Amino acid sequence: MGQKTNPIGNRLGFIQGWESNWYGGDNYRDKIIEDDQIRRYLRARLSRASIAKIIIERTLKLVTVTINTARPGVIIGKGGQEV
């Protein structure tokens, strides 16, 4: 039997980018846990929005979350009330 690898690992850096873009520094563990909590919250809150990918980018004082979805109207809401 051959060794099975994750196909995303083969594509990183060439075809596909990372899902989190930041440098950990001293509190690397806390940031990974926070990323996981953000992803779980968004998937639970927006379960009907058909979320494909959540990308988290961090700078020193700013966290940017990009959500790729098939149904943006569910996230935005009527007249932009949810944003």
Side-chain angles (χ1 to χ4, degrees), residues 17-72:
W18 300 90
E19 291 188 4
S20 292
N21 297 321
W22 48 270
Y23 173 71
D26 295 335
N27 52 359
Y28 183 79
R29 177 180 177 267
D30 296 335
K31 289 182 181 177
I32 286 186
I33 291 171
E34 187 176 351
D35 280 3
D36 186 49
Q37 289 174 346
I38 290 170
R39 283 191 173 91
R40 285 183 188 201
Y41 172 76
L42 289 175
R43 289 197 191 278
R45 168 98 177 170
L46 305 170
S47 61
R48 296 179 11 178
S50 301
I51 294 176
K53 186 176 11 176
I54 299 172
I55 301 170
I56 299 173
E57 298 175 354
R58 293 177 186 262
T59 60
L60 290 175
K61 296 184 179 185
L62 181 69
V63 176
T64 305
V65 179
T66 305
I67 303 171
N68 293 349
T69 180
R71 301 175 65 191

